[in-house]
Amino acid sequence: MPSSILVAHDGSSHAQSALKYALETFPDARIVLFHAIDPFETSPGEDRLSSLTEEWLQREREAAEELFEGALAELDVEPDTVDTDTAVGSPAQTIVAAVERTDADQIVVGSRGRGGVGESHVGSTAELVVKRASVPVTVVR
Amino acid sequence: MPTDHADAILVATDGSDASTAALERALAVAERTGAVVHLLAVADTAGSPMTFGVDDVEELELAKRRLVDGVVETIDDRDVDVSGVVRRGAPAREIVRYADETDVDAIVLGRTGRAGAAGAMLGSTADRVLRRTGIPVLVVPDAPEDGGS
């Protein structure tokens, strides 16, 4: 059985379903809640990339903290029962890399992230993670 | 409440190493949760450029039946309720259809099937299942997860 599960969260409802699924399905596992800080993601209302300054990174890390807190609060989970982790880079790459760093033996991801287009499509991040991960991956809708 | 989450698990098998790893994962979950395991093999009548004759299909289906029965036999000693099923058609479509019909809680399958690299380039069965179902899908790589360490 998986003893340590990496749950990737980008703030989307699919990611939230993934977190809920992981908590319910593996109640005894250690959960590592992970957020990729993607330098190539533009937020709505912003038409150009952020400059990659220390301040930017600090802001992104704080935003990730808020994301984690919000996600866990919504599911009535005590924040200190879950580990968290962030990394800078493309979501798929950083998720796959985080597996080794955090010693996870399974990944749970949402089927689509925030940037998805059609409802029926699996996001490119989920597909890439499934292709590249060295551990089993559960994709949750 | 959380432990009865997975009441039924569908595992697709084609005899590949990855599907064996997928089955092992599913059994581990089932042993813990008491879930029933459906082991499904699909006689792929859609994948070949040749048209199948009736005899070929029956032979293929029989081979899949033997595969499933053989696998079920090897896990006889496990404390899990496993039923073997064979369907014919396009693998991904049949997997999704069977999952809907039987109302399983999760689908478990290997990342690369016997089609190997060529299949992966064209889009594997796993990819197609992921795109077509709303049920959680667990994709298991064939490589041992602690390989190299």
Short mmCIF file of all heavy atoms in Angstrom, two decimals, chain A residues 34-71:
data_model
loop_
_atom_site.label_atom_id
_atom_site.label_comp_id
_atom_site.label_asym_id
_atom_site.label_seq_id
_atom_site.Cartn_x
_atom_site.Cartn_y
_atom_site.Cartn_z
N PHE A 34 1.38 19.32 -3.02
CA PHE A 34 2.43 19.96 -3.83
C PHE A 34 1.84 20.99 -4.78
O PHE A 34 0.80 20.77 -5.39
CB PHE A 34 3.17 18.88 -4.63
CG PHE A 34 4.21 19.42 -5.56
CD1 PHE A 34 5.47 19.76 -5.08
CD2 PHE A 34 3.93 19.62 -6.90
CE1 PHE A 34 6.44 20.28 -5.93
CE2 PHE A 34 4.89 20.14 -7.75
CZ PHE A 34 6.14 20.47 -7.27
N HIS A 35 2.56 22.10 -4.92
CA HIS A 35 2.15 23.10 -5.91
C HIS A 35 3.35 23.51 -6.75
O HIS A 35 4.40 23.87 -6.21
CB HIS A 35 1.56 24.33 -5.21
CG HIS A 35 1.21 25.43 -6.16
ND1 HIS A 35 0.17 25.34 -7.07
CD2 HIS A 35 1.76 26.66 -6.36
CE1 HIS A 35 0.11 26.46 -7.78
NE2 HIS A 35 1.06 27.27 -7.37
N ALA A 36 3.18 23.43 -8.05
CA ALA A 36 4.24 23.87 -8.96
C ALA A 36 4.11 25.37 -9.19
O ALA A 36 3.02 25.86 -9.53
CB ALA A 36 4.14 23.13 -10.29
N ILE A 37 5.20 26.08 -9.00
CA ILE A 37 5.23 27.50 -9.31
C ILE A 37 5.74 27.64 -10.73
O ILE A 37 6.93 27.45 -11.00
CB ILE A 37 6.14 28.26 -8.30
CG1 ILE A 37 5.53 28.13 -6.90
CG2 ILE A 37 6.29 29.72 -8.72
CD1 ILE A 37 6.41 28.69 -5.79
N ASP A 38 4.80 27.88 -11.61
CA ASP A 38 5.11 27.85 -13.04
C ASP A 38 5.47 29.26 -13.53
O ASP A 38 4.62 30.13 -13.61
CB ASP A 38 3.87 27.33 -13.80
CG ASP A 38 4.14 27.17 -15.28
OD1 ASP A 38 5.25 27.54 -15.73
OD2 ASP A 38 3.24 26.70 -15.98
N PRO A 39 6.74 29.48 -13.86
CA PRO A 39 7.15 30.83 -14.27
C PRO A 39 6.54 31.24 -15.61
O PRO A 39 6.55 32.42 -15.96
CB PRO A 39 8.67 30.74 -14.35
CG PRO A 39 8.98 29.30 -14.47
CD PRO A 39 7.85 28.54 -13.82
N PHE A 40 6.00 30.27 -16.34
CA PHE A 40 5.44 30.62 -17.64
C PHE A 40 3.92 30.75 -17.62
O PHE A 40 3.28 30.83 -18.64
CB PHE A 40 5.86 29.59 -18.69
CG PHE A 40 7.34 29.57 -18.86
CD1 PHE A 40 8.09 28.49 -18.44
CD2 PHE A 40 7.99 30.66 -19.42
CE1 PHE A 40 9.46 28.49 -18.58
CE2 PHE A 40 9.37 30.66 -19.56
CZ PHE A 40 10.11 29.58 -19.14
N GLU A 41 3.38 30.74 -16.44
CA GLU A 41 1.94 30.92 -16.34
C GLU A 41 1.62 32.39 -16.17
O GLU A 41 2.19 33.07 -15.32
CB GLU A 41 1.39 30.15 -15.14
CG GLU A 41 -0.12 30.17 -15.09
CD GLU A 41 -0.65 29.65 -13.76
OE1 GLU A 41 -0.31 30.24 -12.73
OE2 GLU A 41 -1.38 28.66 -13.78
N THR A 42 0.72 32.89 -17.00
CA THR A 42 0.29 34.28 -16.82
C THR A 42 -1.06 34.26 -16.13
O THR A 42 -1.94 33.49 -16.48
CB THR A 42 0.15 35.01 -18.17
OG1 THR A 42 -0.64 34.20 -19.05
CG2 THR A 42 1.50 35.27 -18.80
N SER A 43 -1.20 35.10 -15.14
CA SER A 43 -2.49 35.15 -14.46
C SER A 43 -3.45 36.01 -15.28
O SER A 43 -3.03 36.84 -16.08
CB SER A 43 -2.33 35.69 -13.03
OG SER A 43 -1.19 36.49 -12.93
N PRO A 44 -4.76 35.79 -15.09
CA PRO A 44 -5.74 36.55 -15.85
C PRO A 44 -5.53 38.05 -15.61
O PRO A 44 -5.29 38.47 -14.49
CB PRO A 44 -7.09 36.10 -15.27
CG PRO A 44 -6.81 34.83 -14.53
CD PRO A 44 -5.39 34.89 -14.11
N GLY A 45 -5.61 38.83 -16.66
CA GLY A 45 -5.42 40.27 -16.52
C GLY A 45 -3.97 40.68 -16.71
O GLY A 45 -3.63 41.85 -16.78
N GLU A 46 -3.12 39.69 -16.79
CA GLU A 46 -1.70 39.97 -17.00
C GLU A 46 -1.34 39.44 -18.37
O GLU A 46 -1.60 38.28 -18.66
CB GLU A 46 -0.89 39.18 -15.97
CG GLU A 46 0.04 39.97 -15.10
CD GLU A 46 0.73 39.05 -14.12
OE1 GLU A 46 0.09 38.64 -13.13
OE2 GLU A 46 1.89 38.71 -14.38
N ASP A 47 -0.78 40.23 -19.22
CA ASP A 47 -0.52 39.71 -20.56
C ASP A 47 0.94 39.40 -20.79
O ASP A 47 1.35 38.95 -21.84
CB ASP A 47 -1.07 40.67 -21.64
CG ASP A 47 -0.49 42.07 -21.49
OD1 ASP A 47 0.21 42.30 -20.49
OD2 ASP A 47 -0.74 42.90 -22.38
N ARG A 48 1.75 39.64 -19.79
CA ARG A 48 3.15 39.26 -19.99
C ARG A 48 3.67 38.50 -18.77
O ARG A 48 3.06 38.51 -17.70
CB ARG A 48 4.02 40.49 -20.27
CG ARG A 48 3.92 41.54 -19.19
CD ARG A 48 4.48 42.87 -19.65
NE ARG A 48 4.67 43.74 -18.50
CZ ARG A 48 5.78 43.76 -17.78
NH1 ARG A 48 6.80 43.00 -18.11
NH2 ARG A 48 5.88 44.57 -16.73
N LEU A 49 4.78 37.85 -18.98
CA LEU A 49 5.34 37.01 -17.92
C LEU A 49 5.89 37.88 -16.80
O LEU A 49 6.36 38.99 -17.03
CB LEU A 49 6.46 36.13 -18.48
CG LEU A 49 6.02 35.11 -19.52
CD1 LEU A 49 7.25 34.45 -20.14
CD2 LEU A 49 5.12 34.06 -18.90
N SER A 50 5.82 37.34 -15.61
CA SER A 50 6.38 38.06 -14.48
C SER A 50 7.91 38.02 -14.59
O SER A 50 8.47 37.09 -15.14
CB SER A 50 6.00 37.37 -13.17
OG SER A 50 4.70 36.88 -13.23
N SER A 51 8.55 39.05 -14.08
CA SER A 51 10.00 38.96 -14.03
C SER A 51 10.37 38.10 -12.81
O SER A 51 9.74 38.18 -11.76
CB SER A 51 10.63 40.35 -13.94
OG SER A 51 9.82 41.20 -13.16
N LEU A 52 11.35 37.23 -13.02
CA LEU A 52 11.61 36.21 -12.01
C LEU A 52 12.52 36.72 -10.91
O LEU A 52 13.68 36.34 -10.79
CB LEU A 52 12.23 34.99 -12.70
CG LEU A 52 11.41 34.46 -13.88
CD1 LEU A 52 12.12 33.26 -14.50
CD2 LEU A 52 10.00 34.10 -13.47
N THR A 53 11.96 37.59 -10.12
CA THR A 53 12.73 38.19 -9.04
C THR A 53 12.51 37.42 -7.76
O THR A 53 11.62 36.58 -7.66
CB THR A 53 12.26 39.64 -8.81
OG1 THR A 53 10.85 39.61 -8.54
CG2 THR A 53 12.52 40.49 -10.04
N GLU A 54 13.31 37.75 -6.76
CA GLU A 54 13.14 37.17 -5.44
C GLU A 54 11.76 37.51 -4.88
O GLU A 54 11.12 36.70 -4.24
CB GLU A 54 14.22 37.69 -4.48
CG GLU A 54 15.53 36.94 -4.56
CD GLU A 54 15.38 35.46 -4.21
OE1 GLU A 54 14.64 35.15 -3.25
OE2 GLU A 54 15.98 34.62 -4.89
N GLU A 55 11.34 38.75 -5.16
CA GLU A 55 10.03 39.18 -4.66
C GLU A 55 8.92 38.36 -5.30
O GLU A 55 7.95 37.97 -4.64
CB GLU A 55 9.77 40.68 -4.98
CG GLU A 55 10.65 41.66 -4.23
CD GLU A 55 12.05 41.74 -4.81
OE1 GLU A 55 12.18 41.70 -6.05
OE2 GLU A 55 13.02 41.79 -4.04
N TRP A 56 9.08 38.10 -6.59
CA TRP A 56 8.09 37.29 -7.31
C TRP A 56 7.98 35.91 -6.66
O TRP A 56 6.90 35.41 -6.37
CB TRP A 56 8.49 37.16 -8.79
CG TRP A 56 7.70 36.10 -9.52
CD1 TRP A 56 6.45 36.23 -10.04
CD2 TRP A 56 8.11 34.75 -9.78
NE1 TRP A 56 6.05 35.05 -10.61
CE2 TRP A 56 7.05 34.13 -10.47
CE3 TRP A 56 9.27 34.02 -9.52
CZ2 TRP A 56 7.11 32.79 -10.89
CZ3 TRP A 56 9.33 32.70 -9.94
CH2 TRP A 56 8.26 32.09 -10.61
N LEU A 57 9.15 35.30 -6.42
CA LEU A 57 9.17 33.96 -5.83
C LEU A 57 8.54 33.97 -4.44
O LEU A 57 7.76 33.07 -4.10
CB LEU A 57 10.62 33.45 -5.76
CG LEU A 57 10.80 32.01 -5.32
CD1 LEU A 57 10.04 31.06 -6.24
CD2 LEU A 57 12.28 31.63 -5.31
N GLN A 58 8.85 35.00 -3.69
CA GLN A 58 8.28 35.14 -2.36
C GLN A 58 6.76 35.21 -2.43
O GLN A 58 6.05 34.53 -1.69
CB GLN A 58 8.85 36.40 -1.69
CG GLN A 58 8.54 36.53 -0.21
CD GLN A 58 8.98 35.29 0.58
OE1 GLN A 58 10.02 34.71 0.33
NE2 GLN A 58 8.13 34.86 1.51
N ARG A 59 6.27 36.01 -3.37
CA ARG A 59 4.81 36.15 -3.56
C ARG A 59 4.18 34.81 -3.95
O ARG A 59 3.14 34.43 -3.45
CB ARG A 59 4.52 37.19 -4.66
CG ARG A 59 4.40 38.61 -4.17
CD ARG A 59 3.58 39.46 -5.15
NE ARG A 59 3.98 39.29 -6.55
CZ ARG A 59 5.00 39.92 -7.13
NH1 ARG A 59 5.74 40.74 -6.42
NH2 ARG A 59 5.26 39.74 -8.40
N GLU A 60 4.84 34.13 -4.88
CA GLU A 60 4.31 32.83 -5.35
C GLU A 60 4.26 31.81 -4.22
O GLU A 60 3.32 31.03 -4.10
CB GLU A 60 5.17 32.29 -6.50
CG GLU A 60 5.04 33.08 -7.79
CD GLU A 60 3.67 32.91 -8.44
OE1 GLU A 60 3.10 31.79 -8.34
OE2 GLU A 60 3.15 33.87 -9.02
N ARG A 61 5.30 31.84 -3.38
CA ARG A 61 5.33 30.89 -2.25
C ARG A 61 4.22 31.19 -1.26
O ARG A 61 3.59 30.28 -0.72
CB ARG A 61 6.69 30.93 -1.56
CG ARG A 61 7.78 30.29 -2.41
CD ARG A 61 8.92 29.78 -1.54
NE ARG A 61 9.85 29.00 -2.36
CZ ARG A 61 11.14 29.30 -2.51
NH1 ARG A 61 11.65 30.34 -1.88
NH2 ARG A 61 11.91 28.55 -3.27
N GLU A 62 4.00 32.47 -1.05
CA GLU A 62 2.92 32.85 -0.14
C GLU A 62 1.56 32.46 -0.72
O GLU A 62 0.68 32.00 0.00
CB GLU A 62 2.96 34.37 0.13
CG GLU A 62 4.03 34.73 1.15
CD GLU A 62 4.34 36.22 1.16
OE1 GLU A 62 3.54 37.00 0.59
OE2 GLU A 62 5.38 36.60 1.71
N ALA A 63 1.43 32.64 -2.04
CA ALA A 63 0.18 32.27 -2.71
C ALA A 63 -0.04 30.77 -2.58
O ALA A 63 -1.17 30.31 -2.38
CB ALA A 63 0.23 32.68 -4.18
N ALA A 64 1.04 29.99 -2.70
CA ALA A 64 0.94 28.54 -2.56
C ALA A 64 0.49 28.17 -1.15
O ALA A 64 -0.36 27.30 -0.96
CB ALA A 64 2.28 27.88 -2.90
N GLU A 65 1.07 28.85 -0.16
CA GLU A 65 0.67 28.61 1.23
C GLU A 65 -0.83 28.84 1.42
O GLU A 65 -1.51 28.05 2.07
CB GLU A 65 1.45 29.53 2.19
CG GLU A 65 2.88 29.08 2.47
CD GLU A 65 2.93 27.65 3.00
OE1 GLU A 65 2.12 27.33 3.88
OE2 GLU A 65 3.77 26.86 2.52
N GLU A 66 -1.31 29.94 0.84
CA GLU A 66 -2.73 30.25 0.93
C GLU A 66 -3.57 29.20 0.23
O GLU A 66 -4.63 28.80 0.72
CB GLU A 66 -3.02 31.63 0.32
CG GLU A 66 -2.70 32.77 1.25
CD GLU A 66 -2.89 34.12 0.58
OE1 GLU A 66 -3.77 34.22 -0.31
OE2 GLU A 66 -2.16 35.06 0.93
N LEU A 67 -3.08 28.77 -0.93
CA LEU A 67 -3.78 27.73 -1.68
C LEU A 67 -3.91 26.46 -0.83
O LEU A 67 -4.99 25.88 -0.71
CB LEU A 67 -3.00 27.44 -2.97
CG LEU A 67 -3.60 26.56 -4.06
CD1 LEU A 67 -2.84 26.80 -5.36
CD2 LEU A 67 -3.53 25.08 -3.73
N PHE A 68 -2.79 26.06 -0.21
CA PHE A 68 -2.79 24.85 0.63
C PHE A 68 -3.77 25.01 1.80
O PHE A 68 -4.57 24.12 2.06
CB PHE A 68 -1.39 24.58 1.19
CG PHE A 68 -0.36 24.22 0.14
CD1 PHE A 68 0.97 24.57 0.31
CD2 PHE A 68 -0.72 23.51 -1.00
CE1 PHE A 68 1.93 24.22 -0.64
CE2 PHE A 68 0.22 23.16 -1.96
CZ PHE A 68 1.55 23.52 -1.78
N GLU A 69 -3.67 26.14 2.46
CA GLU A 69 -4.55 26.38 3.63
C GLU A 69 -6.02 26.32 3.24
O GLU A 69 -6.84 25.69 3.91
CB GLU A 69 -4.23 27.74 4.27
CG GLU A 69 -3.00 27.71 5.15
CD GLU A 69 -2.56 29.12 5.56
OE1 GLU A 69 -3.39 30.05 5.51
OE2 GLU A 69 -1.37 29.28 5.91
N GLY A 70 -6.34 26.98 2.12
CA GLY A 70 -7.72 27.01 1.65
C GLY A 70 -8.22 25.63 1.27
O GLY A 70 -9.34 25.24 1.63
N ALA A 71 -7.38 24.90 0.57
CA ALA A 71 -7.76 23.56 0.09
C ALA A 71 -8.03 22.63 1.27
O ALA A 71 -9.00 21.87 1.28
CB ALA A 71 -6.66 22.99 -0.80
#
